């Protein structure tokens, strides 16, 4: 258990800066997830915390101590890799006990700690097998076991589940969640799967091009995205963005319209707008409902209906061009080609001054 | 479908034909011919008809006998000694030549002997030169294989680093492999040449003239070691490259995992590198052993088996007999014996290093 503090952390490879000044605070026992598109620097940041990459500038504190120049083994961390990184020539038992072997622990201690880790991960029956005789999920369990045995202050996971198939991923996701609850250690988890991020995290850090876009609880990020990038990144299907023109600024509320949207007033949420500027209106597909006849505020034509059973996803071509995705909670068919209008609660909409 | 298969098969066979034909002509046929010749008294050019002689060639080469000589005694039964006080023994040739009492010694000559009390135990061989070649070949293999493999591994570990200009070193170490062994042998003859040779000069310079120049290749005790040293130097680059390929096959995340667990350099080698090189090690062991048994060019160019047969080896003997003495059956017999030795050793190595 420990706090982790990053202050203006930067990383350059030669002249290329890949982490461009990151500040993150991780509290004791918190589960923090780094998400972001491929190549945004998630792994690099995690590896800097682990000590596998040098920190070009800035400071990294673990448990109140600056660890920039400490060897990985002295940082009190354990890491689980996407490719498991378990030793193919050792049995599961030897793999899990590896750190103890290296540090010349007694056999009793090894025995005890391995048994404890195996119990937590329910893999007692696998201890004498070799990695080649294990499934992907079991291998990842071994890797997690090796991390547990180190008794680290901070667990680091780099996309631990992305080599597993969908069903197994869900199981392991829950296991990792349970593990976090039972160990109460701080964990940093890198993923680009937003379901993992939303379900596991106490706090999500959204990264893009080596910068932090927003930090907050999953629901905060979902309901109050700080910018267009975060708004579009979280949620499935992703948020609809409709280009609009600002018609009037009425205190907290902003009046907007577009060729396919009737004039409405939406909350400005403290962002400043000027009359006549173009802006982007973001509405999640789940908050849009068909209106009767032409009474709705959004106008378009149904292009495609996808029935998923639990919900229906409707593709709408807006009157001004562009598409609108509508997710309906019931099984419903909207005939293709019908002119329809849609309604939504303006309080649920987000207005961003930038354009995508 | 069937017709397509046959057609593509025919194309395949046509393409494989030149290779198969050459291999058959130069490897498979000579192999069986050698075995057949070894059972006859075939000579390179001889007016006499070829006769089947059974395993006579083998017994001529491999025949061994142990014989104990008792000292000469005078009438009183006392041991006769010469002026230097050495015990006098009856002459060995009294027993080996035309002595019907000792048919098993007929035609044999002394290989080596040792004193046991007053008696002298003599090991006799039908073909002393062959025996010397056999022993020298094994000596060569026993020294060259491990030293060459070990040195090559050390070089590969040094070379397998990300340093500026590391390719220069790779090239330098690999260079001797590219140069023909005959050229290398001639060059090393200059290095080893007595009196003014490069090695004598260098050693003299290093010891401020205290070193007495040696005739490296003309001295029975230094000739074989000298050839071993240059053979190791010549072949080490090749095996370095094979080790290097093995090293680069080990996943870098395994090293990162080891680093996080706090493995030091030796532990990293012991637990990650060496187990990861297992298959490479088996390959290198077998290849080096086979190459060492095939030692020929160095001997041919540098010593022709001398001085006093101290650098005789099996392949050189096979060629020497087959072509030098026109004794094709004798040469063939040596080849077959060498084949059996190498095959046996390879099989033993395969068995000992099998996957458990
Ligand atoms: N050793 C390196 N040398 C130069 N550039 C590198 C190096 N390692 C990573 N990068 C660059 O740093 C950036 C961030 O890489 P990183 O691996 O952290 O991305 P990521 O967010 O983990 O992506 P992914 O989701 O694909 O794993 C990338 O643009 C990558 O090209
Ligand atoms: Mg990554």
């Amino acid at each position: 258990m420990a706090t982790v503090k990053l202050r203006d952390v930067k990383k350059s490879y030669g002249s290329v800066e890949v982490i461009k000044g990151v500040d993150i605070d991780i509290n004791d026992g918190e589960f923090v997830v780094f998400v972001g598109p491929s190549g945004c620097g998630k792994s690099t940041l995690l590896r800097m915390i682990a000590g596998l990459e040098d920190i070009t500038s800035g400071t990294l504190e673990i448990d109140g101590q600056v660890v920039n120049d400490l060897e990985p083994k002295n940082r009190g961390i354990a890491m689980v890799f996407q490719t498991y990184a378990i030793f193919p020539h050792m049995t599961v038992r030897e793999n899990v006990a590896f750190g103890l072997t290296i540090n010349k622990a007694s056999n009793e201690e090894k025995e005890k700690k391995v048994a404890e880790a195996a119990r937590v991960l329910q893999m007692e029956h696998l201890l004498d097998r070799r990695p080649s005789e294990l499934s992907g999920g079991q291998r990842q369990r071994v890797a997690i076991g090796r991390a547990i045995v180190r008794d680290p202050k901070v667990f680091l996971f780099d996309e631990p589940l992305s080599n597993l198939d969908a069903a197994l991923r869900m199981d392991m996701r829950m296991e990792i969640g349970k593990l976090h609850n039972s160990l109460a250690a701080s964990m940093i988890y890198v993923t680009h799967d937003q379901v993992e991020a939303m379900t596991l995290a106490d706090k999500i850090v959204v990264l893009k091009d080596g910068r932090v876009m927003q930090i907050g609880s999953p629901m905060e990020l979902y309901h109050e995205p700080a910018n267009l990038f975060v708004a579009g990144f979280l949620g499935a299907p992703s948020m609809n963005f409709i280009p609009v023109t600002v018609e009037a600024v009425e205190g907290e509320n902003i009046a907007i319209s577009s060729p396919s949207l009737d004039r409405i007033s939406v909350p400005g949420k403290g962002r400043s707008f000027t009359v006549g500027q173009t802006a982007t209106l973001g509405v999640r597909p789940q908050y849009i409902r068909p209106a009767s006849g032409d009474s709705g505020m959004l106008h378009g034509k149904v292009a495609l209906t996808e029935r998923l059973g639990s919900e229906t996803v409707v593709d709408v071509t807006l009157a001004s061009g562009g598409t609108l995705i509508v997710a309906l909670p019931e099984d419903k068919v909207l005939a293709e080609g019908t002119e329809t209008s849609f309604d939504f609660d303006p309080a649920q909409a987000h207005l961003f001054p930038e354009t995508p | 479908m069937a017709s397509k298969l046959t057609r593509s098969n025919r194309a395949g066979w046509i393409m494989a034909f030149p290779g198969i034909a050459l291999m058959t002509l130069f490897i498979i046929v000579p192999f069986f011919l050698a075995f057949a010749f070894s059972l006859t008294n075939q000579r390179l050019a001889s007016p006499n008809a070829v006769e089947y002689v059974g395993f006579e060639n083998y017994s001529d080469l491999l025949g061994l006998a142990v014989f104990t000589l008792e000292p000469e005694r005078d009438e009183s039964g006392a041991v006769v000694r010469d002026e230097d006080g050495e015990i006098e023994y009856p002459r060995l040739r009294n027993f080996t030549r035309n002595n019907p009492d000792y048919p098993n010694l007929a035609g044999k000559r002394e290989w080596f002997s040792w004193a046991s009390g007053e008696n002298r135990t003599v090991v006799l061989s039908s073909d002393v030169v062959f025996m010397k070649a056999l022993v020298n070949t094994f000596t060569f293999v026993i020294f060259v294989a491990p030293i060459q493999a070990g040195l090559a591994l050390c070089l590969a570990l040094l070379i397998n680093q990300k340093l500026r200009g590391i390719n220069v070193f790779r090239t330098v170490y690999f260079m001797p492999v590219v140069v023909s062994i005959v050229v290398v042998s001639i060059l090393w003859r200059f290095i080893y040449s007595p009196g003014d040779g490069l090695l004598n000069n260098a050693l003299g310079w290093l010891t401020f003239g205290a070193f007495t120049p040696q005739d490296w290749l003309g001295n029975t005790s230094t000739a074989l070691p000298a050839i071993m040293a240059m053979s190791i130097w010549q072949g080490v680059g090749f095996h370095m490259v094979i080790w290097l390929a093995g090293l680069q096959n080990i996943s870098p995340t395994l090293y990162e995992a080891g680093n996080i667990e706090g493995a030091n350099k030796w532990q990293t080698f012991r637990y990650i590198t060496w187990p990861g090189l297992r298959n490479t090690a088996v390959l290198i062991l077998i290849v080096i052993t086979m190459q060492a048994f095939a030692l020929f060019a160095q001997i041919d160019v540098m010593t022709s088996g001398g001085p006093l047969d101290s650098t005789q080896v099996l392949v050189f003997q096979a060629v020497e007999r087959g072509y030098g003495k026109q004794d094709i059956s004798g040469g063939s017999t040596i080849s077959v014996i060498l084949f059996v030795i190498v095959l046996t050793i390879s099989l033993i190595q395969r068995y000992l290093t099998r996957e458990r």
Side-chain angles (χ1 to χ4, degrees):
Chain A
M1 289 220 275
T3 59
V4 180
K5 203 188 263 184
L6 286 82
R7 283 291 168 270
D8 198 25
V9 167
K10 291 182 182 169
K11 172 79 190 176
S12 309
Y13 288 110
S15 60
V16 188
E17 194 169 53
V18 294
I19 303 290
K20 299 165 183 164
V22 165
D23 296 273
I24 302 174
D25 282 289
I26 295 167
N27 298 327
D28 221 7
E30 214 167 23
F31 199 119
V32 176
V33 174
F34 293 175
V35 289
S38 190
C40 68
K42 309 179 290 290
S43 300
T44 305
L45 199 53
L46 193 74
R47 293 162 56 82
M48 286 160 79
I49 297 173
L52 296 173
E53 300 279 356
D54 297 335
I55 297 169
T56 308
S57 72
T59 57
L60 166 67
E61 280 178 30
I62 297 179
D63 219 5
Q65 186 194 3
V66 176
V67 297
N68 282 37
D69 299 321
L70 242 47
E71 287 288 308
K73 64 166 175 179
N74 298 328
R75 293 189 180 192
I77 50 101
M79 186 155 171
V80 175
F81 297 84
Q82 177 177 354
T83 50
Y84 321 129
I86 53 179
F87 304 112
H89 54 278
M90 295 183 194
T91 62
V92 169
R93 188 188 303 279
E94 289 164 342
N95 260 294
V96 172
F98 183 73
L100 300 170
T101 309
I102 289 293
N103 294 311
K104 309 202 167 60
S106 68
N107 281 341
E108 298 89 76
E109 187 187 351
K110 272 197 223 175
E111 201 56 41
K112 201 175 118 240
K113 288 204 167 171
V114 171
E116 170 65 14
R119 190 188 58 75
V120 172
L121 295 167
Q122 293 159 24
M123 56 174 197
E124 284 104 335
H125 59 293
L126 302 177
L127 284 178
D128 292 309
R129 294 215 203 154
R130 281 185 188 266
S132 56
E133 301 159 351
L134 300 178
S135 71
Q138 290 169 331
R139 285 178 204 189
Q140 200 52 286
R141 245 172 250 253
V142 175
I144 296 173
R146 190 174 63 198
I148 291 177
V149 162
R150 279 182 64 72
D151 207 3
K153 299 183 204 161
V154 186
F155 280 88
L156 307 175
F157 294 91
D158 192 356
E159 306 201 26
L161 308 184
S162 54
N163 280 12
L164 308 180
D165 65 51
L168 199 55
R169 208 180 298 174
M170 194 162 120
D171 286 352
M172 286 296 288
R173 195 174 74 214
M174 291 180 177
E175 297 248 345
I176 290 177
K178 278 192 240 161
L179 190 71
H180 176 240
N181 291 339
S182 64
L183 296 179
S186 311
M187 294 189 174
I188 306 178
Y189 188 104
V190 166
T191 181
H192 55 237
D193 180 324
Q194 49 166 300
V195 181
E196 282 172 25
M198 298 298 283
T199 52
L200 288 171
D202 294 322
K203 194 191 250 175
I204 295 182
V205 177
V206 182
L207 292 164
K208 182 194 174 197
D209 292 340
R211 277 185 227 280
V212 173
M213 289 285 110
Q214 190 174 3
I215 301 182
S217 74
M219 287 309 128
E220 222 173 298
L221 265 59
Y222 187 80
H223 293 297
E224 300 298 337
N227 47 48
L228 212 52
F229 179 78
V230 176
F233 192 76
L234 292 177
S238 55
M239 192 183 273
N240 291 297
F241 293 133
I242 303 161
V244 293
T245 313
V246 174
E247 301 279 349
V249 179
E250 304 152 347
E252 254 305 283
N253 288 337
I254 318 290
I256 51 166
S257 73
S258 95
S260 45
L261 176 71
D262 298 345
R263 178 174 164 139
I264 55 164
S265 215
V266 296
K269 296 183 180 165
R271 299 186 184 103
S272 65
F273 295 91
T274 51
V275 174
Q277 83 165 107
T278 56
T280 305
L281 179 72
V283 193
R284 293 211 179 271
Q286 287 80 359
Y287 297 137
I288 306 178
R289 293 285 165 269
S292 53
D294 205 27
S295 65
M297 45 186 132
L298 273 166
H299 307 279
K301 203 192 262 183
V302 175
L304 185 69
T305 308
E306 292 174 309
R307 299 165 66 194
L308 305 177
S310 60
E311 66 175 6
T312 308
V313 179
V314 187
D315 247 41
V316 179
T317 308
L318 289 174
S320 59
T323 53
L324 181 76
I325 306 289
V326 180
L328 303 172
E330 69 274 350
D331 185 22
K332 183 170 182 175
V333 182
L334 298 182
E336 260 165 57
T338 24
E339 296 276 356
T340 330
S341 70
F342 296 88
D343 261 334
F344 60 90
D345 177 1
Q348 303 278 21
H350 307 272
L351 189 62
F352 300 103
E354 65 263 37
T355 49
Chain B
M1 196 65 210
S3 76
K4 181 166 180 280
L5 255 180
T6 17
R7 237 185 305 131
S8 58
N9 258 353
R10 192 181 315 143
W13 280 113
I14 291 171
M15 283 189 231
F17 176 77
I20 292 177
L22 288 174
M23 296 232 306
T24 311
L25 191 62
F26 289 108
I27 295 177
I28 300 172
V29 170
F31 170 77
F32 286 106
L33 277 180
F35 188 71
F37 286 154
S38 74
L39 302 175
T40 66
N41 64 357
Q42 173 85 46
R43 298 188 58 81
L44 196 58
S46 159
N48 301 332
V50 176
E51 284 170 28
Y52 173 77
V53 296
F55 286 92
E56 196 179 288
N57 286 319
Y58 292 90
S59 58
D60 281 352
L61 285 173
L62 299 168
L64 282 180
V66 181
F67 182 62
T68 306
L69 283 173
E70 285 169 12
E72 301 265 29
R73 292 171 193 275
D74 53 22
E75 293 79 46
S76 62
V79 173
V80 178
R81 293 179 185 266
D82 61 13
E83 303 98 72
D84 301 333
E86 299 287 331
I87 301 172
E88 288 203 18
Y89 294 98
R91 305 185 77 178
L92 203 53
R93 74 158 83 113
N94 299 343
F95 303 95
T96 56
R97 291 212 192 142
N98 303 321
N99 189 335
D101 296 339
Y102 297 97
N104 64 322
L105 300 186
K108 293 199 171 65
R109 294 199 303 163
E110 176 176 346
W111 180 13
F112 56 92
S113 66
W114 67 92
S116 46
E118 288 180 342
N119 294 345
R120 188 148 196 91
T121 309
V122 182
V123 176
L124 299 106
S125 158
S126 313
D127 194 327
V128 174
V129 175
F130 172 78
M131 283 302 162
K132 284 188 177 165
L134 192 66
V135 170
N136 287 338
T137 306
F138 271 95
T139 314
F140 184 81
V141 173
I142 284 167
F143 281 97
V144 168
I147 295 178
Q148 198 170 53
L151 215 56
L153 177 58
C154 291
L155 288 182
L157 289 171
L158 287 178
I159 289 289
N160 191 27
Q161 297 179 40
K162 290 195 185 72
L163 292 177
R164 197 181 293 273
I166 201 79
N167 274 330
V168 174
F169 287 93
R170 289 187 195 189
T171 315
V172 167
Y173 294 143
F174 195 69
M175 207 106 78
V177 182
V178 186
V179 182
S180 154
I181 181 73
V182 174
V183 174
V184 170
S185 302
I186 291 173
L187 286 176
W188 277 71
R189 227 166 50 185
F190 296 133
I191 293 178
Y192 284 142
S193 79
D196 229 18
L198 189 61
L199 182 60
N200 281 330
N201 261 325
L203 288 174
W205 185 76
L206 283 175
T207 58
F208 305 104
F211 181 80
T212 353
Q214 296 279 322
D215 183 1
W216 299 100
L217 295 172
N219 188 325
T220 48
S221 60
T222 53
L224 191 61
I227 288 182
M228 285 180 189
M230 78 72 74
S231 302
I232 291 171
W233 173 84
Q234 196 266 340
V236 83
F238 179 75
H239 300 288
M240 174 192 82
V241 171
I242 303 183
W243 281 122
L244 202 57
L247 283 174
Q248 293 182 345
N249 249 336
I250 302 174
S251 157
T253 39
L254 290 184
Y255 288 109
E256 290 177 348
N259 189 358
I260 284 179
E261 300 286 341
N264 60 30
K265 280 229 160 71
W266 163 245
Q267 287 167 328
T268 305
F269 180 79
R270 155 100 176 61
Y271 291 108
I272 303 172
T273 310
W274 183 243
L277 287 175
R278 208 184 145 276
N279 291 335
T280 315
V282 174
L283 173 77
I284 288 210
L285 184 66
I286 292 178
V287 170
I288 285 195
T289 312
M290 289 204 273
Q291 281 184 351
F293 270 111
L295 169 65
F296 170 73
Q298 296 94 306
I299 303 290
D300 193 36
V301 175
M302 294 170 81
T303 63
S304 300
L308 293 177
D309 293 330
S310 62
T311 58
Q312 284 290 358
V313 290
L314 290 179
V315 180
F316 184 75
Q317 268 296 301
V319 175
E320 168 88 352
R321 280 184 205 211
Y323 299 99
K325 297 186 183 148
Q326 309 214 339
D327 177 10
I328 286 293
S329 61
S332 300
T333 312
I334 295 178
S335 312
V336 173
I337 292 173
L338 181 63
F339 168 75
V340 172
I341 292 172
V342 174
L343 182 68
T344 314
I345 289 178
S346 297
L347 288 178
I348 293 172
Q349 287 174 337
R350 283 294 298 274
Y351 177 77
L352 292 178
T353 57
R354 72 197 181 279
E355 206 85 50
R356 265 173 285 229

